[in-house]
Amino acid sequence: MKYMLLICVDGDIEPTEGDPTIEQWLAEVGDRRLDGSQLRSVQDATTVRTRGDEVLLSDGPFAETKEQIVGYDVVDCADLDEAIRIASRHPCARFGSVEVRPFYTG
Amino acid sequence: MTVEAEVSELFRAERGRIVATLIRLTGDWDLAEECVQDAFARALECWPREGVPQRPGAWLTTTARNRALDRLRRSSVEAAKLREVVATPDDSPGVEDDGIGDDLLRLVFTCCHPALTLEARVALTLRTVAGLTTPEIARAFLVPEATMAKRLVRARQKIRNARIPYRVPPAHLLPERTGGVLGVLYLLFNEGYAAGGGADLSRRDLCVEAIRLARTLVASMPDEPEAVGLLALALLQDSRRDARFDHAGDLVPLDEQDRSRWDGAQVEEGVALLDSALRRGRPGPYQVQAAIAACHATAARARDTDWPQIALLYGELVKLVPSPVVRLNRAVAVAMADGPAAGLALVDDLADEVTGHLLPATRADFLRRLGRGAEALAAYERARALAPTDAERRHLTRLIGALGG
């Protein structure tokens, strides 16, 4: 079962001394992580809407919230418990949050 | 016993377990429930004619399994799922033989998974484990039937789509997950108990179900002292059900209840369970609350109540659960043990944290006992304005009348 982990953080990423690093997390997750990346700031985001024939562009994210998605990881897990365990060990879960979203299947 | 009575007894006792087994075999919650329903209907048809089988639980499980098999074949599902159901022999460990089945425990833990909202956990447990109908659950929680139906559908969808595992959690997750299950059963019991009046039978049923599920849990996890503590607590509270309301349906306070109407057998069982839990030396909130309930339940007369002991226990409970409500209850116990002035000091600290009628009602009582009548009257009136039920409003009106208000 594939899950998308949406890494959400309010403000800047400020890891605390002694917390596990992203490298340690990546090593721990191993090949259960299929893909993932950090994302550029929402200041560099462009939102696209099509209304009728018109394509509307706006600067910034689709929703103005303090918490922003700063990265994502796609993991392949046996079940939600395993995905939760992996998400809970992500460094950003300590000060931000990680949304676990299952992929559509069949 | 008539066959009908026997079937309905089996329905209460075995249904959850059989549904749990069918869910394990088919992975389909709706199919499982429907096939178990069909199996009970078949029993009502066949048993009066052919007699009740020697192992009725096994008969029902087999019948439900065959029905599921039939339906899966007709809908030509994936071959793997079908093979799994077919491969399970007819006399797989009989429902009667393996005591409390792991399947049921698995079902309870799945329904109470922390990835579901608390409301969904409670509703799903009632629907799937306890076998209450959706209208019954909706009535008990005072929400429209459509809302409850939607809540149940959503919960089942999440279990399927997010793949919430159908299993008893592994050892490292067990303590926190067990806490969640106990929380659901406690909430269930309180939903029934808080309303509690003889007038509303569906809510009384919630207490019965909560106690039954707690028994199931204790039988499956006899080494978990908090599970035993919760069962003891529920039994001790429930022992007072017949004395808590008068003929008019009004609430009778603890110190005015006719103690001969308390259920002595239930008190005895609750106290014995509590002792066995405490002997394990791992106290927790449910055991402490049960100990408090036991102090009340074993006092022959209201004035024999060991208030210093209760105040001490509340002191322990506040350390484990530092919630405003617990602190309010502690203030009441301290007032009984050390006088109303000591209690008043504790409630005044809580003024900003507790909403609702309980805080002003408690303050009013302390003020009355301190002889500060005018302040007491004002507090009682404030409490009455906030009281959630008619019975409580009537009770407060009586107290106001007694003060000359």
Side-chain angles (χ1 to χ4, degrees), chain B residues 6-21 36 40 55-58 60-61 94-101 104 129 212:
Chain B
E6 202 159 340
V7 170
S8 91
E9 180 60 36
L10 276 165
F11 188 81
R12 263 200 177 279
E14 304 277 357
R15 182 193 165 283
R17 208 182 295 185
I18 302 170
V19 168
T21 300
V36 172
F40 276 97
R55 296 165 59 210
L60 287 161
T61 309
V95 224
E96 291 164 321
D97 303 335
D98 62 349
I100 298 298
L104 187 60
V129 184
R212 203 170 65 79

Side-chain angles (χ1 to χ4, degrees), chain B residues 15 33 123-129 131-134 137 152 156:
Chain B
R15 182 193 165 283
E33 287 202 339
L124 202 57
T125 305
L126 280 175
R127 178 76 197 91
T128 314
V129 184
L132 266 61
T133 64
T134 306
I137 304 168
L152 285 163
R156 281 186 197 171

Side-chain angles (χ1 to χ4, degrees), chain B residues 11 52 73 132 163 210 274 278 372 385:
Chain B
F11 188 81
V52 176
R73 273 199 188 112
L132 266 61
R163 198 176 287 175
L274 174 63
L278 290 173
R372 291 156 65 175

